[in-house]
Amino acid sequence: MGLFTNNKKLCPICGSPTPRLLATKIEGQPICKECDSQIDLPDGAVNRMSLTDFRQYLAAFAENKSLQSEFQSSYQFHIGFWSGTLYVDEAHGLLRVKEGSGWVFEGKDLKSFRISEDGETLFESGDGVLNCHASSVPDRVNDMAQIIAQFHMHKQEYERREAMEDLRNCMDESSEERRKRQRTSDLYRPRFEASAPVQKFRIEIILDHPYWQKIEDEFSGPEFDRDYPRAEDYLKSYREQTEELHLLASKLMYMMDPNAGEVHLNSSAAAQAAQSGPAAPVDAVNEIQRYKALLDAGVLTEEEFAAKKRQLLGI
């Protein structure tokens, strides 16, 4: 008897033999592998089901299989290594969260969605319209330019002292002593530790569905290079992520309403300043000197500095 007996318990749903170990249980009774393979529910939902509830679920899942067999993924949004992927069938207006299996949702199942960065909305569904909110991240990255420039100057000074140390010791130390000193130097080498403007992006899809109320997940935003941070590199990574999120939002909105339009809501500090009238005059010479320091520190390119100089001089 026990593990090695042939007298397996039978599935209370279909009567098939059930696994001896690690079987999924409904109302304390193990179910077979075939019934178990059809479970595609939010975490913990199956544990709250009665046998009657589970039979109703299987019937609904069976009705959904025609959409499952019809589904052909034409767009994928990869959320993260541990989170998974959203799959969209644009031709049929369908969505699924598991590759090759599981529930397939139709446009009518989507009630609303919201994509945000650290709690601030970027894209959200409206009444027949996709609302696109401007982000303050570019402004905040530009505000960090002085911090980045100071880091580069600090790092350059450290590397200058390191080079002088190499010259003083190159004739007197052994190879092992040199390697040890370099390891110590690397340990204390300056690293850019400032927090990035965006920590997390979040996707929330609210469903009008008997078994799924929402799909939600989050993933990390871009980070500065700790050894050679550049504002333009960060903004490039940020734009790539937000452009992909915009594409996802557009496809979700099209599923909900193929005739939906798109509205861009201007909320960035720079845009608000532009709407409120011309900015107060600035000392162009001081500003040019400030941007020259950023150029020397490697934060700006020659082209960016030249463009800013022309702007400040009004030419």
Side-chain angles (χ1 to χ4, degrees):
M1 300 297 289
L3 288 176
F4 302 102
T5 180
N6 288 326
N7 298 323
K8 292 184 177 182
K9 292 184 178 180
L10 300 182
C11 176
I13 304 299
C14 66
S16 299
T18 61
R20 292 189 179 93
L21 295 173
L22 304 177
T24 299
K25 295 182 178 181
I26 309 292
E27 286 190 351
Q29 300 187 52
I31 61 174
C32 68
K33 290 183 177 180
E34 177 60 28
C35 291
D36 189 22
S37 69
Q38 300 182 70
I39 297 177
D40 181 21
L41 292 164
D43 291 343
V46 71
N47 300 325
R48 299 188 291 270
M49 284 185 165
S50 66
L51 287 171
T52 300
D53 294 335
F54 189 64
R55 290 189 181 95
Q56 292 174 345
Y57 163 81
L58 290 178
F61 191 78
E63 291 181 8
N64 188 253
K65 284 187 176 179
S66 61
L67 293 179
Q68 296 175 35
S69 61
E70 181 183 68
F71 191 93
Q72 296 180 0
S73 176
S74 59
Y75 172 77
Q76 301 176 11
F77 183 88
H78 184 63
I79 299 174
F81 182 78
W82 299 109
S83 299
T85 303
L86 294 174
Y87 300 89
V88 179
D89 179 346
E90 297 170 90
H92 300 100
L94 304 174
L95 172 73
R96 80 181 335 159
V97 295
K98 290 177 66 176
E99 183 178 10
S101 64
W103 278 101
V104 168
F105 304 102
E106 300 178 85
K108 64 181 180 62
D109 296 325
L110 274 63
K111 189 174 181 180
S112 65
F113 66 84
R114 177 176 180 261
I115 299 174
S116 59
E117 54 183 24
D118 294 339
E120 297 294 326
T121 302
L122 282 178
F123 310 104
E124 63 180 343
S125 59
D127 186 9
V129 67
L130 172 63
N131 292 315
C132 305
H133 298 260
S135 171
S136 64
V137 166
D139 291 331
R140 285 186 279 144
V141 172
N142 290 331
D143 289 342
M144 295 178 69
Q146 193 65 35
I147 298 174
I148 296 172
Q150 290 171 354
F151 167 80
H152 283 292
M153 288 187 284
H154 177 53
K155 183 181 177 184
Q156 287 170 1
E157 177 61 22
Y158 181 87
E159 290 172 345
R160 186 185 66 80
R161 293 197 304 268
E162 188 178 42
M164 293 176 63
E165 187 74 12
D166 282 342
L167 288 173
R168 282 195 298 266
N169 293 281
C170 64
M171 301 299 295
D172 301 325
E173 63 185 359
S174 66
S175 298
E176 179 58 33
E177 288 172 332
R178 180 179 175 82
R179 284 194 293 270
K180 182 178 180 180
R181 181 169 57 79
Q182 288 176 337
R183 286 195 295 269
T184 302
S185 178
D186 287 340
L187 182 63
Y188 292 101
R189 186 176 299 278
R191 299 287 190 273
F192 190 70
E193 303 292 351
S195 298
V198 177
Q199 300 300 307
K200 295 287 185 182
F201 290 108
R202 185 171 185 82
I203 299 171
E204 301 169 274
I205 304 173
I206 306 302
L207 300 170
D208 183 11
H209 189 269
Y211 297 103
W212 283 83
Q213 283 70 55
K214 61 183 175 180
I215 300 168
E216 57 182 347
D217 219 322
E218 61 182 25
F219 56 98
S220 299
E223 296 180 352
F224 285 104
D225 188 309
R226 294 182 65 204
D227 295 307
Y228 196 75
R230 290 170 60 89
E232 57 267 36
D233 291 341
Y234 181 89
L235 287 173
K236 180 177 182 293
S237 298
Y238 174 78
R239 282 193 297 268
E240 288 173 351
Q241 283 192 286
T242 53
E243 285 170 2
E244 191 62 33
L245 286 168
H246 183 200
L247 183 59
L248 171 64
S250 299
K251 294 182 184 299
L252 293 175
M253 194 68 232
Y254 185 81
M255 282 183 60
M256 295 175 63
D257 183 355
N259 298 314
E262 188 171 293
V263 173
H264 291 260
L265 304 173
N266 215 338
S267 59
S268 70
Q272 288 178 354
Q275 290 176 352
S276 62
V282 297
D283 187 337
V285 174
N286 289 341
E287 284 294 289
I288 290 171
Q289 290 174 344
R290 185 168 71 88
Y291 283 107
K292 181 62 166 61
L294 299 181
L295 170 66
D296 294 340
V299 178
L300 297 179
T301 64
E302 288 281 359
E303 293 79 7
E304 290 168 330
F305 171 71
K308 195 66 184 176
K309 182 178 178 180
R310 288 193 298 271
Q311 177 188 348
L312 290 169
L313 295 176
I315 57 176

